[in-house]
Amino acid sequence: MDRFGSPLSLIAMVAAVLPFATAHAQDDAKGDGPSFDCARVTSDVNRLICATPELAAWDRKLAIDYAATLHQGGTDQKALAADEDRWLRTIRNRCPDAACLETAYASRDRAVLDQGLKAASPAAYDETRPFPTPSASLEIARAWIGKPCGRAPATPFPDFTRIKGYLPVVTPGAIVAPFETDGTRFAFLLLAGNDPNTCRVADVVALPDADAGMSFLQCTLGGEGDDHGFGVRRDGHPNTAAYWTIDIRNGRLMRRPLGVLSGFKLVCREPETGE
């Protein structure tokens, strides 16, 4: 028997373990207004943000992440403020529609978070970088973000195959499934779709080069609470080489710097679900 089960069994697994993921997404979509006062807006861009709950949520998130990075020790506050002003003038305020704005906000938020990570711990910064990946393969993989991953005839993702010997990581509220295309490996974050028999792709991250032997691990970062995630360990090495936490509410996989997890115990093992 295929130790991974059929693609549809993976979808069924998503539906079984993620009954509350859709409720989280609906709660987030309601939200409040953006970070600015909608009663005072004069531009068409700001009016559109005020009228679109999803854009208002992005604006709130960026404002929170920007403030955190601005006050992070090591941040060049003048440079960050100038960069934010430049983004507003040359990118956000030139968007003609909601789709453009959502893309602009998502890109800017990633950039701000990246600057915050670098300022917080320059020594650990490299441990949070994405693994080198051919741009064409990365584009194909990330094009699946936000799309359904159910009811495919052979594999949930055309052009991708399961990585032989790897089981998916199943955690409370999420499944992380490893796939590859043209020798490039990725981890897909799967959350429940609106239809209980389907799932949606929330995020995709690149895994180490396929030529490097490694294990795909289910991990728990223990501290005051338990953060669930996944990691990879290179063959012949006892320690985890990379680790990601699973942010279900925001639908993201966040790589964490292993060298600065002081006070926490990272426990990883090979997944057992899927036999």
Side-chain angles (χ1 to χ4, degrees), residues 4 10 13-14 17-18 157 162-163 166-179 186-191 199-207 216-219 228-232 243-248 251-254 271 273:
F4 298 103
L10 175 61
M13 188 191 307
V14 175
V17 300
L18 308 183
F157 313 106
R162 303 278 184 85
I163 302 178
Y166 289 12
L167 290 171
V169 168
V170 180
T171 72
I175 288 179
V176 180
F179 292 92
F186 296 93
F188 287 73
L189 174 61
L190 309 181
L191 300 179
C199 61
R200 66 181 177 87
V201 180
D203 199 7
V204 179
V205 295
L207 296 175
F216 193 64
L217 308 172
Q218 183 156 356
C219 301
H228 295 274
F230 74 99
V232 294
Y243 167 69
W244 293 259
T245 54
I246 301 171
D247 181 353
I248 296 173
R252 298 184 64 189
L253 297 173
M254 300 288 292
T273 305

Side-chain angles (χ1 to χ4, degrees), residues 20-76:
F20 52 86
T22 302
H24 279 318
Q26 291 172 345
D27 289 342
D28 287 344
K30 293 177 183 177
D32 297 315
S35 63
F36 52 85
D37 185 355
C38 287
R40 298 174 179 269
V41 300
T42 58
S43 70
D44 290 339
V45 166
N46 283 340
R47 290 193 186 97
L48 180 56
I49 293 169
C50 289
T52 311
E54 293 81 6
L55 294 178
W58 268 115
D59 186 84
R60 291 196 309 275
K61 185 178 188 310
L62 177 58
I64 292 170
D65 292 338
Y66 174 80
T69 299
L70 190 67
H71 296 95
Q72 171 67 56
T75 294
D76 184 333

Side-chain angles (χ1 to χ4, degrees), residues 17-269:
V17 300
L18 308 183
F20 52 86
T22 302
H24 279 318
Q26 291 172 345
D27 289 342
D28 287 344
K30 293 177 183 177
D32 297 315
S35 63
F36 52 85
D37 185 355
C38 287
R40 298 174 179 269
V41 300
T42 58
S43 70
D44 290 339
V45 166
N46 283 340
R47 290 193 186 97
L48 180 56
I49 293 169
C50 289
T52 311
E54 293 81 6
L55 294 178
W58 268 115
D59 186 84
R60 291 196 309 275
K61 185 178 188 310
L62 177 58
I64 292 170
D65 292 338
Y66 174 80
T69 299
L70 190 67
H71 296 95
Q72 171 67 56
T75 294
D76 184 333
Q77 294 186 335
K78 289 184 178 180
L80 181 63
D83 195 35
E84 185 78 356
D85 181 65
R86 183 164 47 251
W87 173 77
L88 287 168
R89 289 184 291 101
T90 64
I91 298 178
R92 195 205 73 156
N93 291 349
R94 293 185 179 182
C95 275
D97 53 37
C100 174
L101 281 169
E102 185 168 1
T103 299
Y105 268 103
S107 176
R108 178 58 184 164
D109 191 58
R110 285 195 299 269
V112 169
L113 289 171
D114 183 75
Q115 291 183 57
L117 287 171
K118 188 172 185 178
S121 181
Y125 183 69
D126 286 342
E127 292 188 12
T128 65
R129 299 303 83 220
F131 285 100
T133 309
S135 58
S137 297
L138 182 61
E139 183 177 348
I140 293 172
R142 293 194 63 83
W144 276 94
I145 294 177
K147 295 183 178 180
C149 52
R151 298 197 175 103
T155 169
F157 313 106
D159 301 323
F160 287 85
T161 58
R162 303 278 184 85
I163 302 178
K164 186 178 180 180
Y166 289 12
L167 290 171
V169 168
V170 180
T171 72
I175 288 179
V176 180
F179 292 92
E180 63 183 347
T181 181
D182 294 329
T184 304
R185 296 173 170 179
F186 296 93
F188 287 73
L189 174 61
L190 309 181
L191 300 179
N194 293 327
D195 182 333
N197 295 316
T198 65
C199 61
R200 66 181 177 87
V201 180
D203 199 7
V204 179
V205 295
L207 296 175
D209 192 285
D211 292 335
M214 66 173 191
S215 298
F216 193 64
L217 308 172
Q218 183 156 356
C219 301
T220 301
L221 184 62
E224 294 181 358
D226 287 334
D227 286 332
H228 295 274
F230 74 99
V232 294
R233 180 173 57 227
R234 298 188 186 282
D235 290 351
H237 295 267
N239 298 322
T240 303
Y243 167 69
W244 293 259
T245 54
I246 301 171
D247 181 353
I248 296 173
R249 180 168 290 276
N250 294 306
R252 298 184 64 189
L253 297 173
M254 300 288 292
R255 190 175 173 196
R256 300 284 295 276
L258 294 168
V260 294
L261 297 179
S262 177
F264 296 89
K265 183 179 181 181
L266 182 63
V267 178
C268 297
R269 61 177 174 79

